[in-house]
Amino acid sequence: LKTLLSDEYIHSVRDSYTEKKLKSIGINNVVNTSCPTMWNLTEQFCEKIPTRKAPKVVTTLTNYNISTEKDEKLLEILCNQYSEVYVWLQAVEDWEYLKRLKFKDNVKIIPPGLAAYDRFLENNNTDYIGTRLHGGIRALNHMKRSLILAVDNRAIEISKDTNLPVIRRDNVENQLETWLSNPYETQISLPFQNIEAWKKQF
C-alpha cells in the first residue's frame, strides 16, 4: 500500500474503520469522507424520503454471501408485508441463487444493470430492503425508504459513521417487521468538512 498510494495527496476512505486501519500501519494521509455514492444524501434531501411503508418493495440477494434460511425468511416477510415484491439482480449470479429459494415464484424480476434498476425506482412507489449495500444507497438517492441488511462489515461500518439505515441480516426475523410497521426518518450524517478538504486538493 505504501508503494501504491500517493505521498502527495490525501486519500479518501469511506469509513473510520478503514481510516484507523491505514493509520495503524503508518499511512496517515487519509480522511474519512464516507462513500461518494452517499454525498447527495444531505439533510434537505433526506427530508424528502418517505417515512412510511410503500405498497411495493424491491429486494436484493448476495450470491457470494448466502444464508438460505435468512434469505428465505426475508422473502417470506416481504411477501406477507407488500402487495408486490421485486428482486433486482445486481449480479447475474444472483438469479441462480434465487432459483434455489422458497417464495421465488412470488416475486417479479428486475434484470441486471443499473438502467433497469433506475427505471424501476423512477416509476414505482417502492421501498428497498435487501442485502446489497449499493442497491440500498442507489434507492436512497432515488428518495426511496430503504433498509440495508448487512452481510459483512462494510455496511455496518459505514452505518456507524453516517446513520445509514442498516440491520444485520442475522436479525431479520427479530427486527424487520418492527422496522416495517413503524415510521422511519432517514437521517444521514455526512462528514462535509472532510469531503471538501479532499476535493480542494485537486
Side-chain angles (χ1 to χ4, degrees):
L1 286 173
K2 289 177 181 177
T3 300
L4 290 171
L5 298 180
S6 171
D7 293 327
E8 179 181 0
Y9 293 104
I10 301 170
H11 294 283
S12 162
V13 295
R14 64 185 185 183
D15 55 58
S16 56
Y17 174 86
T18 306
E19 181 183 23
K20 290 173 184 175
K21 287 292 184 184
L22 286 171
K23 288 183 176 179
S24 74
I25 59 172
I27 300 174
N28 294 303
N29 55 328
V30 294
V31 62
N32 174 19
T33 64
S34 75
C35 185
T37 60
M38 296 176 60
W39 289 357
N40 191 47
L41 302 176
T42 63
E43 180 180 352
Q44 295 77 15
F45 185 95
C46 288
E47 286 175 353
K48 301 174 185 176
I49 298 174
T51 60
R52 294 188 178 275
K53 189 173 69 168
K56 302 177 185 178
V57 67
V58 56
T59 188
T60 51
L61 303 168
T62 303
N63 69 288
Y64 60 83
N65 192 331
I66 65 174
S67 169
T68 301
E69 178 186 357
K70 299 299 181 184
D71 291 333
E72 287 182 341
K73 189 64 183 178
L74 167 63
L75 292 178
E76 179 185 3
I77 292 171
L78 297 182
C79 288
N80 287 335
Q81 290 276 341
Y82 290 91
S83 60
E84 295 181 35
V85 179
Y86 293 79
V87 177
W88 176 48
L89 304 174
Q90 182 172 316
V92 175
E93 294 83 2
D94 295 342
W95 171 238
E96 293 301 322
Y97 176 48
L98 175 62
K99 289 192 293 185
R100 293 161 42 193
L101 300 179
K102 296 177 184 176
F103 307 102
K104 62 181 179 298
D105 297 327
N106 300 68
V107 304
K108 301 177 182 180
I109 302 300
I110 303 170
L114 276 180
Y117 187 42
D118 284 341
R119 279 195 301 272
F120 175 82
L121 293 172
E122 289 163 6
N123 294 294
N124 288 274
N125 181 10
T126 184
D127 291 343
Y128 169 88
I129 299 171
T131 62
R132 293 283 187 170
L133 168 61
H134 286 97
I137 293 174
R138 191 77 171 188
L140 287 169
N141 276 284
H142 282 269
M143 298 182 188
K144 304 303 180 185
R145 185 174 186 257
S146 301
L147 180 66
I148 296 159
L149 309 179
V151 297
D152 55 35
N153 78 317
R154 297 173 305 141
I156 292 168
E157 295 300 336
I158 292 174
S159 178
K160 288 178 184 177
D161 296 335
T162 65
N163 200 37
L164 186 70
V166 172
I167 64 171
R168 295 178 184 271
R169 180 177 57 183
D170 289 345
N171 295 331
V172 160
E173 193 164 0
N174 299 324
Q175 296 183 6
L176 179 53
E177 289 182 293
T178 300
W179 189 89
L180 288 173
S181 60
N182 290 286
Y184 180 83
E185 293 185 12
T186 304
Q187 297 178 326
I188 303 296
S189 175
L190 295 173
F192 291 109
Q193 288 185 333
N194 290 351
I195 293 168
E196 287 306 309
W198 182 81
K199 285 180 177 180
K200 284 179 179 177
Q201 68 185 325
F202 301 110

